[in-house]
Amino acid sequence: MTTNEATPDYRKPFITITMLFFLWGFITVMNDVLIPYLKDSFSLSYFQAGLVQFAFFGAFFFVSLAYYFISLSSGDPINRIGYKLSIIIALLICGLGCAMFYPAAEFRAYPFFLGALFLLATGVTLLQIAANPYAAILGKPETASSRLNLAQGVNSLGTTIAPIAGGLLLYKVFATNGEVTIDSIKIPYLIYGSLFVLLAIIVWRSHLPSFTKEEESTSNSLGALRFPHLRFGMVAIFMYVGGEVAIGSYLINFMKHEDIMGLPEATASIYLAYYWGGAMIGRLCGAISLSDMSSQSSKYVAMIATAVAVFFVVYVVTAIRLDDGVFAMEFMSPSQVAPFFLLIAINFLAFVFGQGNAARVLWVFSISMITLLCIAAFAGGSLAFWAALGTGLFNSIMWSNIFTLAIKDLRQHTSQGSSLLVMMIVGGAIVPLIMGAAADSIGIQLAFVVPIINYVYIAFYGLIGHRVGEDAEIQPEIAA
């Protein structure tokens, strides 16, 4: 990579880019609030409600696939028009997608909602293709994974706030005479659309350094697909996003189940913050663990302090209540949140065992996910409740670690590889449908066994599939 900056200072551009991560995290997790809302409004089955995620994440597949073929035939589009203009266009598309929720609510048409979600996700897809590699190149290559974890940590802040803000807006602020109607969705999504347009203006007025890359071949060769570690990484991204989205999509219904906690829907949407807050804890700790801090003890102190601080933020925001216009705080007792503290401690030990190695951390966290999903599916009460919410802690670093392992040493094929990885976010469209179909047939709790296969594969990628090579023989290796 080369830049036109004589003395590059990437702090301000990186801050601008992390704002993108925050906003697309926020709008993506709003789907988890939308699913039970639309399910009740249109009397949908779990499978039909899963079409929300299918429409949203299906856009990632089609848009990224088109990007890949365009890059093969005529070169990288982002390299031609620049990161800045690409990001602005993507943000405006996101704003238009949000605005389409208003006429969808006017027509009271579920397919219209799905179309609006597809348009919104088209913008988010373009943001992902541009922002992930851009964040990776805004600094030293050896700390790229750390930067992506930090940006994903800010993304998790958006995913933590979204269920609370969305739940309050839909179920409290814009409810009609205390009743949630299809009209309750209009103003919230106009607000979200305005935020995307505002951020587009901020990016337009910001200075973002321009980068140029080695000229890419436009032949009919496979390009980045020649690299086996990228191909295995594409499947790993599919499995990770599919697993994370499927779990998040049905957590509210899981918490409502009488054998778990029997929570009302509005309260359950608040506790969804522990799932995404756990992801924020893990990602910020991952950024520290994989950083170039010289002192290991300083890393551990910073990780513990970060985990405790974020936990208390989540603890406070999940206590917020707004009933009949009256603001109140209802805190859980220390004994009630003790299981989550235990999960944070286990998460910290997993980082220690990972020894700052992206591949090793990946398979350790995958094994932890398998264990927690088994507990969620076969236990009951608060144990299953916290096991399900605790999966956010161990899902946390998977995107960043898989992404950086998969694009390692792709050289001039990096942007093309990035589009292929983003394409596999389509896992978020497929796996929730499978899990929804399972929930319809065997119940919402037992359906939590479905994502286990996803994490078995991710463990394989951390152990074996990440090895770098072009059409090379893949041999088993455990990262030390």
Side-chain angles (χ1 to χ4, degrees):
M1 297 285 180
T2 60
T3 180
N4 59 9
E5 296 290 309
T7 307
D9 181 358
Y10 297 139
R11 287 174 296 179
K12 288 182 180 179
F14 185 73
I15 291 171
T16 302
I17 293 303
T18 56
M19 292 168 64
L20 306 179
F21 280 78
F22 171 87
L23 197 51
W24 88 51
F26 183 97
I27 203 67
T28 299
V29 174
M30 276 304 303
N31 291 350
D32 297 341
V33 179
L34 268 181
I35 285 174
Y37 169 75
L38 293 176
K39 182 177 184 296
D40 292 339
S41 298
F42 291 101
S43 301
L44 306 173
S45 67
Y46 281 115
F47 180 83
Q48 290 170 323
L51 290 173
V52 167
Q53 301 292 26
F54 184 82
F56 190 87
F57 290 97
F60 283 84
F61 177 81
F62 292 109
V63 174
S64 297
L65 185 62
Y67 188 98
Y68 171 69
F69 283 120
I70 290 171
S71 69
L72 277 182
S73 62
S74 56
D76 179 17
I78 290 176
N79 200 35
R80 292 203 308 272
I81 68 174
Y83 284 101
K84 184 173 182 176
L85 182 56
S86 300
I87 289 169
I88 291 172
I89 292 171
L91 287 168
L92 293 176
I93 293 173
C94 288
L96 179 60
C98 289
M100 294 300 292
F101 275 74
Y102 194 98
E106 282 289 311
F107 285 103
R108 284 164 169 69
Y110 185 52
F112 204 150
F113 277 108
L114 298 180
L117 282 164
F118 188 92
L119 181 61
L120 170 59
T122 297
V124 176
T125 303
L126 296 175
L127 280 178
Q128 290 262 27
I129 293 173
N132 278 289
Y134 193 61
I137 63 181
L138 284 173
K140 295 184 290 186
E142 57 268 26
T143 55
S145 185
S146 176
R147 280 193 302 282
L148 273 181
N149 269 305
L150 179 57
Q152 287 290 324
V154 177
N155 175 274
S156 294
L157 178 61
T159 61
T160 302
I161 292 173
I164 300 168
L168 288 175
L169 289 174
L170 290 179
Y171 298 108
K172 303 294 181 181
V173 178
F174 293 104
T176 305
N177 297 322
E179 181 182 353
V180 179
T181 68
I182 201 69
D183 291 323
S184 305
I185 209 168
K186 294 178 180 177
I187 303 303
Y189 271 84
L190 286 180
I191 294 172
Y192 305 150
S194 300
L195 291 175
F196 278 110
V197 174
L198 177 61
L199 188 51
I201 295 171
I202 292 173
V203 171
W204 173 58
R205 296 182 61 86
S206 300
H207 171 69
L208 297 182
S210 59
F211 293 89
T212 58
K213 299 187 283 273
E214 301 174 48
E215 192 67 28
E216 294 187 50
S217 170
T218 57
S219 67
N220 292 324
S221 68
L222 291 176
L225 278 175
R226 295 200 309 270
F227 296 85
H229 70 288
L230 174 67
R231 297 197 298 267
F232 284 122
M234 289 169 62
V235 180
I237 288 289
F238 178 97
M239 292 295 191
Y240 155 68
V241 177
E244 182 180 60
V245 173
I247 294 168
S249 296
Y250 299 109
L251 266 177
I252 291 178
N253 295 102
F254 180 82
M255 291 184 282
K256 287 170 58 180
H257 196 278
E258 59 183 10
D259 291 337
I260 307 301
M261 297 294 283
L263 296 176
E265 196 167 282
T267 304
S269 70
I270 292 174
Y271 286 112
L272 197 63
Y274 276 100
Y275 177 69
W276 296 111
M280 179 163 56
I281 290 172
R283 285 165 180 168
L284 293 177
C285 288
I288 297 169
S289 176
L290 297 170
S291 70
D292 56 0
M293 289 175 88
S294 57
S295 171
Q296 196 68 36
S297 59
S298 297
K299 280 187 180 182
Y300 293 154
V301 170
M303 290 167 67
I304 292 171
T306 299
V308 172
V310 174
F311 166 78
F312 278 108
V313 170
V314 176
Y315 182 65
V316 170
V317 297
T318 53
I320 296 173
R321 300 292 185 273
L322 187 64
D323 297 315
D324 299 324
V326 178
F327 177 84
M329 301 291 288
E330 295 181 12
F331 290 98
M332 298 177 72
S333 68
S335 61
Q336 287 177 301
V337 296
F340 196 72
F341 254 123
L342 177 61
L343 287 165
I344 292 175
I346 296 171
N347 184 256
F348 174 78
L349 292 175
F351 272 118
V352 173
F353 185 74
Q355 300 175 356
N357 181 286
R360 187 184 181 100
V361 170
L362 191 60
W363 65 261
V364 170
F365 275 44
S366 298
I367 292 171
S368 301
M369 283 294 300
I370 294 168
T371 304
L372 289 174
L373 287 170
C374 286
I375 294 172
F378 299 110
S382 62
L383 179 61
F385 172 80
W386 285 114
L389 291 179
T391 56
L393 282 161
F394 296 92
N395 257 326
S396 57
I397 51 80
M398 291 190 176
W399 170 274
S400 302
N401 287 22
I402 294 170
F403 196 93
T404 51
L405 288 169
I407 66 172
K408 184 179 179 182
D409 292 341
L410 294 187
R411 299 179 296 278
Q412 72 269 28
H413 301 292
T414 299
S415 290
Q416 192 181 88
S418 173
S419 71
L420 290 168
L421 291 170
V422 171
M423 180 178 72
M424 301 312 289
I425 292 176
V426 71
I430 307 282
V431 180
L433 282 180
I434 298 172
M435 189 168 173
D440 287 329
S441 60
I442 61 176
I444 188 65
Q445 184 177 6
L446 285 177
F448 272 67
V449 302
V450 171
I452 289 177
I453 189 65
N454 297 51
Y455 298 99
V456 170
Y457 179 87
I458 296 170
F460 153 78
Y461 187 70
L463 283 167
I464 300 171
H466 70 279
R467 294 191 61 198
V468 177
E470 183 176 331
D471 294 328
E473 181 181 353
I474 300 296
Q475 296 177 349
E477 173 189 89
I478 297 179

